[in-house]
Structure formats: structure tokens, C-alpha cells
């Protein structure tokens, strides 16, 4: 039976581990904070928003513990250059359509690894003379377990096509070897070390399923009488490439030409946004066809002749539009 | 990572319609409507709540950028900004649920990005002055009035939820005051620029005379003088704000 005062870590080693943790947690924290504005999906925004503060508290706890271990407060340190390269790769995806890549890096690679490393550290840290570190690790494990579960819930919600599944898998395949090459965040984790597991049963007030529910698009837009019919006819005219029929739906003086859509007429149109300004309505139509999806924003006004478009603007051509499932 | 990002990189789902605040106000005036929802009906309360929801969204995004954009700032600054991200994320959720409570939905009214633009200041001191003192100060005014209106119309769900959000906003203003002072210590020129930035935001958020001193029921947005005192605004600052609202152009 081991002596209760036996322990695998010297003070310096323990401080080094905490510096290594602090380095990656601080980088993850700053990346997650910065990504919120760059991420379109509401559920993913809320996921990141909820976890930034937990990560900041983890980095803070590690940083405050350091002087107690004869080290400088709040000084993170990468275990090696490969850890820096791994974190560079984790924080690289910044484009709006790269939400899946961002979340896979953090929630399927980094956080499960942190969970594993913290768990192993806690299991080995001496219970008599390392309770301050153990308490920090226990709190981080609890949070990371919750984070991984929530992240996985959001990823399953967002990764809903074979193409997105392939992208998620490719992202994981790219990052995991980088992490293994670094020897994990502490530089000394063997490649075959057991991974962290997240309990699926964690229930807290910040439930990722609720963020998904809040994100879901409305199934039927609450449109005033006649507008839905007008939009259907307008969409049909656009699909037929019929400039005269399109013009019939424009308010007098509205200068817009179907030629603005380019050579290919859209095959179909769907409403992706509906907003009200007093008695007027702004409608975004996604026009699908052979080429990229075109988003057309139009403002509709009621009149004696019924609803007419008073302003139209092409917002962009998106090769891979994000479509939310209807409620 | 790119630091800071251009203001037009703010990412949104398709369901949101983004328009200039001035254009939305002009379209409403042309229909004989007040440029900003006046809280006189459940419908106008819903529109105000929608505006607050997108404001909270932008506040979360702005605080997140402050965590990201200023790695050289003191660590405690990052901690405060991270805390604010968490608070704002809860506020977004609260206002999404309040929208449901009012039979509304996210995207029902256009989103303007005037708040987000203010959160794109390149200097940390200017950003906290503008966002935490200017915008969060406005939030104190708006939420204080909304609590009053909710109490008056007998909506305890709205009243209680917004009262807790208001408590958080007071904390954010205090954070702003603290960091404006600390970040500009020994650098009066930096402080002057930051305060000037805040004043331009205060002026902008007088919303052409919509924000004024007065009773909750009588003015569209009433300046919450007591709450502002609690948040750490000085009497001189409150007085100056009231004076600027008196000279703001009225729609």
C-alpha cells in the first residue's frame, strides 16, 4: 500500500503542468470569445458565450495557484512548439461558414483531451498536500464534462448533411495528429492515453437543447393577408424568368430588373426571413437554381392593388447556404 | 486570429434582416408611426424587446471581441470581459424567451448594427467607455423603464426577468468605469479620447430626442438617474447627459 504522502509530482513539475494548462485555456478562451461575432448560428453563439466565462475562471484559477507553487502568477507556457502549432490550427477557422470546424476543434478535440488530462492529473495528485490543485482540477473536470456534452449536442444539430459530416471528420483527423505530435497539452501524454468521456446525463440550467429550440426558424411566417400569395406569384415570375410578370409586382417607381439575378433564372424560391416595419414587410427570399443560391431582400407595401415590392436588393450569392430546419 | 475585425464581419443567420437605423426610422415616420417603439401597446413592447434582444446579441459579440482583441491588457480586464460575455449570453436567452412570451420571434423586426459599430473601437479604453458606460448606460435607462411598464401592465414575467438583467447592466457600467480609469492611468490624452468617444455614443443614443429626462409614462426612453447613480455615474455626468438630450434634434 503506498504511503499517503507519496506523490508523482514535484512542486516544479506541478507548476509546469498548470502553466501548460493555462496557456491552452487562455488561447481557447480568447478564440472562443472572438468567434462569437464570426459565427452565424444562434445556438453556437450561445454555446461559446456560456463557456467563455468558465474558461476564464479556469485560466484564472491555474494562474492564481502558480505563486503558491513558487512560480509567477498568471504566466502560461506552451509545453513545446508543437502545442503552439496545434493551438494555431484550432483557432484558424474564422469564416462564417466554418462553424463546424471551429466547434469540432474545441469540443471534439481540445476539450475531451483536457478532460482526460485533468482527470489523470487529479487521479495522481497527492490528496494530502495537493488539495488546492485537486480542487481546481475537480472544478475544471466538472465544467469540461458539461461543455463537451453541450458542444456535442450543438454539433449534432449543426452537422446534418453527409458533406458536413465529412468536413467534421476531416477536421478531427487534421487536429488529432497535431495534438498527438505535441504529446498533448503537457507534452508528455502518450498517444494511446485514454480519452476523456463526458457524462451525457449532465443537466444544468444552460441546456444546449434549449439553445437549439430557441434557434429553430418559425415554421409558418405570420404574414398579413394577401402577402403570402403575392410572394408566391412573385417567386413564380422570377422562376419563369418573366420580366413582365415580375414588373407587375413592383410598386410604381421601383427601379429593379430581373436581369440583376444574372443569366440563370432560379428554379425555386423560399422565404428565409420575414420582418415588419410598421405596416410594411421586409422579406428575404433564397433563390435556388443551377448556380449559387441568391438572397434577394425585398420590402413590400400594402396598397389598393394589394401588396407590391417597393425596394429590392440582392444581398449575396452563397455557394453553401445555411438552412435552418423548420420548427 | 484577425484582431480587431471589421464591423461588417458580424455574422448572422439568414432569418435576420439587417437595415440602417436611420432607414427603419424614416420608413416608420413615413407611415405616421413613432420612429422607435413607444411601449404604449403590447405590440410596441414586443418590438422594443426584439430591439433589446439584438442589442444583447451584439453586446455578447462585442464583449467576446474584447476578450479576443486585447491580449496585452491586464488579465483582470479579460476576466471582466469574459464575465460580461456570460452575462450577455444569458440576456440573449432571456430576451428570446420574453419574445416568445409576447408571441414574437427572432427576426420579426429589422436588426440595426449601431451598437455593434460602437463595440468595434480599436482602443480598449474607448471600447469600455463607449460600450460599458455609453451603451450599458442606455440599457440601464431602457430596462428601468421596461420594469416600470411591466409592473404597470401587470406582467410579472417581464418585470422580474428584466429587473435581473438590469442588475447585471449596472455591474457592467461599474466595470466600464473601473477600466476607463485603470487603462488610462498616467495617460490623460488617451482618457480624453475615450471619454469623447463615449460622449459621441451618448449623443447618438439620445436617438434624436427620444431619450429624455421625465416620467416613464411620458417620454419614450426616460433617463434612469437613480440607477445611473447606483452604477457609478457622477452627478456631473448625469447632468451633462440630460443637457445633451435637451439640445438633441427631435424627430
Amino acid at each position: 500500500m503506498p504511503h499517503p504522502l507519496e506523490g508523482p509530482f514535484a512542486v516544479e513539475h506541478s507548476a509546469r503542468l498548470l502553466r501548460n494548462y493555462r496557456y491552452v485555456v487562455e488561447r481557447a478562451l480568447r478564440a472562443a470569445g472572438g468567434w462569437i461575432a464570426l459565427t452565424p448560428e444562434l445556438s453556437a453563439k450561445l454555446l461559446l458565450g456560456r463557456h467563455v466565462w468558465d474558461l476564464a475562471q479556469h485560466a484564472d484559477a491555474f494562474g492564481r495557484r502558480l505563486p503558491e507553487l513558487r512560480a509567477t502568477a498568471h504566466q502560461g507556457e506552451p509545453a513545446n512548439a508543437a502545442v503552439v502549432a496545434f493551438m494555431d490550427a484550432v483557432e484558424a477557422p474564422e469564416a462564417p461558414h466554418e462553424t463546424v470546424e471551429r466547434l469540432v476543434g474545441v469540443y471534439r478535440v481540445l476539450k475531451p483531451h483536457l478532460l482526460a488530462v485533468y482527470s489523470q492529473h487529479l487521479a495522481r495528485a497527492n490528496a494530502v498536500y495537493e488539495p488546492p490543485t485537486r480542487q481546481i482540477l475537480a472544478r475544471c473536470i466538472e465544467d469540461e464534462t458539461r461543455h463537451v456534452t453541450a458542444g456535442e449536442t450543438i454539433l449534432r444539430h449543426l452537422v446534418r448533411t453527409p458533406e458536413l459530416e465529412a468536413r467534421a471528420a476531416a477536421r478531427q483527423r487534421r487536429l488529432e495528429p497535431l495534438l498527438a505530435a505535441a504529446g498533448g497539452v503537457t507534452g508528455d501524454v502518450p498517444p494511446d492515453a485514454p480519452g476523456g468521456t463526458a457524462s451525457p446525463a449532465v443537466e444544468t440550467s444552460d441546456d444546449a437543447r434549449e439553445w437549439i429550440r430557441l434557434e429553430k426558424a418559425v415554421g409558418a411566417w405570420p404574414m398579413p393577408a394577401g402577402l403570402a400569395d403575392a410572394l408566391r406569384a412573385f417567386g413564380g415570375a422570377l422562376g419563369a424568368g418573366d420580366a413582365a410578370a415580375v414588373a407587375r409586382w413592383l410598386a410604381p417607381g421601383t427601379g429593379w430588373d430581373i436581369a440583376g439575378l444574372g443569366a440563370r433564372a432560379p428554379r425555386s424560391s423560399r422565404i428565409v426571413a420575414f420582418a415588419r416595419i410598421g405596416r410594411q414587410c421586409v422579406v428575404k427570399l433564397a433563390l435556388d437554381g443551377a448556380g449559387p443560391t441568391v438572397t434577394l431582400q425585398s420590402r413590400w407595401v400594402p396598397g389598393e392593388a394589394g401588396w407590391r415590392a417597393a425596394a429590392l436588393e440582392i444581398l449575396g450569392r452563397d455557394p453553401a447556404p445555411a438552412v435552418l430546419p423548420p420548427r | 486570429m484577425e484582431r480587431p475585425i471589421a464591423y461588417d464581419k458580424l455574422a448572422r443567420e439568414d432569418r435576420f434582416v439587417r437595415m440602417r437605423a436611420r432607414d427603419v426610422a424614416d420608413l416608420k415616420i413615413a407611415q405616421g408611426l413613432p420612429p422607435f417603439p413607444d411601449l404604449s401597446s403590447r405590440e410596441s413592447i414586443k418590438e422594443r424587446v426584439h430591439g433589446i434582444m439584438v442589442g444583447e446579441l451584439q453586446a455578447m459579440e462585442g464583449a467576446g471581441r474584447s476578450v479576443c482583441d486585447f491580449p496585452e491588457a491586464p488579465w483582470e480586464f479579460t476576466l471582466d470581459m469574459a464575465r460580461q460575455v456570460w452575462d450577455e449570453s444569458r440576456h440573449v436567452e432571456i430576451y428570446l424567451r420574453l419574445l416568445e412570451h409576447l408571441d414574437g420571434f427572432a427576426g420579426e423586426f429589422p436588426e440595426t448594427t449601431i451598437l455593434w459599430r460602437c463595440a468595434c473601437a480599436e482602443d480598449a479604453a474607448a471600447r469600455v467607455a463607449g460600450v460599458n458606460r455609453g451603451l450599458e448606460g442606455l440599457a440601464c435607462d431602457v430596462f428601468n423603464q421596461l420594469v416600470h411598464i411591466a409592473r404597470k401592465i401587470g406582467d410579472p414575467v417581464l418585470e422580474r426577468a428584466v429587473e435581473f438583467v438590469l442588475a447585471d447592466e449596472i455591474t457592467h457600467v461599474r466595470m466600464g468605469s473601473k477600466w476607463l480609469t485603470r487603462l488610462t492611468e498616467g495617460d490623460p490624452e488617451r482618457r480624453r479620447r475615450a471619454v469623447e468617444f463615449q460622449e459621441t455614443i451618448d449623443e447618438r443614443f439620445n436617438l434624436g430626442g427620444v431619450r429624455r429626462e421625465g416620467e416613464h409614462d411620458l417620454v419614450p426612453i426616460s433617463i434612469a438617474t437613480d440607477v445611473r447613480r447606483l452604477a457609478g455615474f457622477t452627478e456631473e455626468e448625469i447632468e451633462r447627459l440630460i443637457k445633451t438630450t435637451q439640445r438633441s434634434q427631435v424627430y
Side-chain angles (χ1 to χ4, degrees):
Chain A
M1 192 170 179
H3 191 282
L5 294 183
E6 274 184 26
F9 305 128
V11 168
E12 281 176 8
H13 182 78
S14 191
R16 202 261 299 168
L17 292 178
L18 298 198
R19 282 198 301 274
N20 295 163
Y21 301 155
R22 198 186 186 287
Y23 172 79
V24 291
V25 171
E26 186 184 343
R27 282 199 66 174
L29 149 75
R30 295 197 191 279
W35 283 342
I36 297 171
L38 302 170
T39 299
E41 298 85 353
L42 196 52
S43 59
K45 277 185 195 291
L46 290 173
L47 174 82
L48 294 164
R50 285 301 174 95
H51 295 171
V52 160
W53 172 234
D54 289 334
L55 286 170
Q57 288 177 97
H58 298 179
D60 190 57
F62 293 139
R64 284 174 188 272
R65 173 70 175 140
L66 282 168
E68 298 166 2
L69 298 169
R70 299 197 301 267
T72 308
H74 293 303
Q75 194 171 74
E77 177 188 41
N80 52 51
V83 170
V84 178
F86 166 71
M87 288 307 298
D88 286 346
V90 166
E91 69 175 33
E94 294 194 69
H97 66 273
E98 292 180 311
T99 302
V100 166
E101 281 79 2
R102 285 190 279 275
L103 297 191
V104 165
V106 171
Y107 290 94
R108 283 192 180 161
V109 180
L110 176 61
K111 282 179 174 287
H113 172 72
L114 287 176
L115 189 53
V117 171
Y118 294 158
S119 300
Q120 288 158 22
H121 188 161
L122 178 63
R124 298 172 69 199
N126 185 277
V128 179
Y129 49 75
E130 286 218 77
T133 301
R134 288 171 61 91
Q135 280 186 356
I136 295 168
L137 291 169
R139 188 257 158 102
C140 294
I141 289 167
E142 188 184 334
D143 286 348
E144 291 299 358
T145 301
R146 188 164 44 82
H147 291 190
V148 171
T149 304
E152 192 54 37
T153 303
I154 300 296
L155 271 165
R156 284 182 194 160
H157 162 62
L158 296 176
V159 178
R160 53 179 173 264
T161 65
E163 187 218 337
L164 287 167
E165 280 172 17
R167 272 173 48 191
R171 176 73 176 153
Q172 200 165 341
R173 279 197 306 275
R174 160 148 167 68
L175 291 177
E176 282 177 343
L178 292 176
L179 185 57
V185 297
T186 54
D188 54 8
V189 180
D192 55 352
T197 52
S199 160
V202 174
E203 287 286 345
T204 66
S205 60
D206 52 347
D207 183 348
R209 290 168 301 185
E210 182 61 12
W211 304 333
I212 292 169
R213 187 187 71 74
L214 291 167
E215 178 188 272
K216 294 263 176 89
V218 284
W221 305 102
M223 290 192 184
L227 181 57
D229 290 339
L231 286 166
R232 207 171 296 117
F234 179 69
L238 288 173
D242 186 340
V246 167
R248 279 199 290 278
W249 291 102
L250 303 183
T254 306
W256 189 77
D257 195 318
I258 193 172
L261 293 176
R264 292 194 184 94
R267 276 198 298 265
S268 63
S269 64
R270 57 199 157 80
I271 299 168
V272 293
F274 169 76
R276 295 189 291 115
I277 304 173
R279 293 176 293 279
Q280 302 183 6
C281 300
V282 180
V283 179
K284 258 199 231 174
L285 291 171
L287 307 175
D288 300 313
T293 295
V294 174
T295 304
L296 178 68
Q297 183 165 300
S298 50
R299 179 168 54 81
W300 292 74
V301 297
E304 284 179 10
W307 288 92
R308 292 291 183 272
L312 296 100
E313 181 186 4
I314 294 170
L315 296 182
R317 293 174 165 79
D318 184 357
V323 182
L324 289 168
R327 178 175 286 179
Chain B
M1 289 187 79
E2 188 185 342
R3 291 182 171 108
I5 57 170
Y7 76 85
D8 62 353
K9 285 203 170 175
L10 186 63
R12 278 289 175 276
E13 292 166 358
D14 272 345
R15 72 173 126 157
F16 287 92
V17 168
R18 193 177 289 175
M19 291 179 71
R20 287 175 60 89
R22 165 70 63 176
D23 291 343
V24 174
D26 286 347
L27 284 167
K28 285 181 161 181
I29 291 166
Q31 296 174 65
L33 300 168
F36 298 96
D38 56 9
L39 304 181
S40 62
S41 65
R42 197 168 170 83
E43 188 66 15
S44 68
I45 291 173
K46 178 170 75 171
E47 187 175 351
R48 176 76 68 91
V49 164
H50 189 281
I52 296 170
M53 185 273 292
V54 293
E56 297 288 2
L57 199 53
Q58 292 173 26
M60 172 174 72
E61 293 161 330
R65 286 311 304 184
S66 293
V67 167
C68 176
D69 290 346
F70 306 114
E72 306 306 323
W75 168 247
E76 290 72 20
F77 173 83
T78 299
L79 261 187
D80 276 352
M81 293 299 111
R83 168 63 197 231
Q84 192 174 333
V85 172
W86 186 49
D87 293 345
E88 306 295 5
S89 76
R90 293 195 318 279
H91 298 174
V92 173
E93 188 172 332
I94 288 165
Y95 278 104
L96 284 169
R97 288 169 190 254
L98 284 176
L99 264 183
E100 285 185 330
H101 171 66
L102 295 163
D103 300 319
F105 61 93
E108 188 170 355
F109 303 96
E111 174 183 17
T112 62
T113 51
I114 187 165
L115 273 76
W116 166 250
R117 284 177 193 231
C118 298
C120 290
E122 290 191 15
D123 177 46
R127 204 180 286 185
V128 291
V131 175
N132 286 64
R133 305 190 89 241
L135 297 179
E136 303 280 355
L138 170 72
C140 288
D141 299 334
V142 170
F143 298 166
N144 187 51
Q145 186 175 27
L146 198 51
V147 169
H148 172 86
I149 300 283
R151 195 175 295 141
K152 191 180 165 194
I153 63 173
D155 188 334
V157 171
L158 187 64
E159 180 190 343
R160 185 60 51 82
V162 178
E163 201 173 11
F164 270 93
V165 177
L166 174 59
D168 288 340
E169 304 299 3
I170 291 171
T171 305
H172 298 166
V173 175
R174 288 179 183 151
M175 281 180 192
S177 303
K178 176 176 85 180
W179 286 109
L180 172 63
T181 302
R182 288 210 197 158
L183 292 172
T184 60
E185 250 165 21
D187 191 345
E189 176 56 23
R190 188 182 182 195
R191 182 180 176 88
R192 188 191 61 75
R193 285 197 307 267
V195 169
E196 248 178 40
F197 181 64
Q198 183 198 324
E199 285 172 356
T200 62
I201 286 174
D202 281 338
E203 178 74 36
R204 191 178 297 182
F205 281 96
N206 288 336
L207 301 166
V210 168
R211 175 165 66 176
R212 272 176 271 163
E213 188 184 26
E215 292 298 315
H216 295 307
D217 305 317
L218 301 178
V219 297
I221 297 176
S222 56
I223 296 173
T225 48
D226 289 345
V227 171
R228 281 178 172 268
R229 276 185 204 107
L230 200 59
F233 284 105
T234 63
E235 292 299 329
E236 188 191 348
E237 284 176 315
I238 294 169
E239 198 58 36
R240 190 167 60 235
L241 177 69
I242 291 169
K243 275 188 184 151
T244 63
T245 63
Q246 288 162 352
R247 67 164 187 263
S248 292
Q249 175 204 351
V250 178
Y251 271 98

